[in-house]
Amino acid sequence: MSHVLVLLASDTNPISPDKVGEIIAPIPQQHRSPVRWLDHARACEVDVFPFDGNGNAAVWDDENDMLSTIERTVAAPNASNLDIALVPAANRKKKLLLSDMDSTMIQQECI
């Protein structure tokens, strides 16, 4: 099953294309899509799939191994100050955003 890796940054701490490249580097290039910018320097997404375009299995043993690689990727120090989500690609119609807004979307604590 394919997944989508979503990276979100704040206005005060934007994300550069180079930083995105560093974050996704551990995911083999043939097993991810090019970066799609949803809002330049603030939000982007990358498709991640267990098979390359020729149907060849990835370097991962199974989907859990793929997910472990991605978890290590998003836990890297260069991924700090970002909100990162890995969501299944299937049935991914955006209807509602739920978010912990403190420090990412707004700069003060709120109730």
Side-chain angles (χ1 to χ4, degrees), residues 43-62:
C44 65
E45 60 185 20
V46 177
D47 295 326
V48 180
F49 24 87
F51 299 96
D52 66 16
N54 298 319
N56 299 318
V59 295
W60 303 297
D61 295 329
D62 56 26

Side-chain angles (χ1 to χ4, degrees), residues 24-98:
I24 65 173
I27 303 168
Q29 189 171 7
Q30 67 270 28
H31 297 284
R32 58 180 158 88
S33 70
V35 175
R36 286 185 306 279
W37 286 95
L38 307 173
D39 187 0
H40 184 69
R42 291 191 57 201
C44 65
E45 60 185 20
V46 177
D47 295 326
V48 180
F49 24 87
F51 299 96
D52 66 16
N54 298 319
N56 299 318
V59 295
W60 303 297
D61 295 329
D62 56 26
E63 188 169 330
N64 287 333
D65 191 27
M66 177 186 81
L67 296 176
S68 294
T69 299
I70 294 168
E71 286 174 9
R72 286 191 306 277
T73 298
V74 301
N78 58 1
S80 64
N81 298 320
L82 295 175
D83 285 339
I84 300 175
L86 181 68
V87 295
N91 302 317
R92 189 173 175 261
K93 186 173 182 179
K94 299 172 186 118
K95 293 183 178 181
L96 176 66
L97 171 67
L98 298 177

Side-chain angles (χ1 to χ4, degrees), residues 14-31:
I15 184 170
S16 70
D18 289 341
K19 187 172 181 180
V20 172
E22 291 173 17
I23 292 169
I24 65 173
I27 303 168
Q29 189 171 7
Q30 67 270 28
H31 297 284

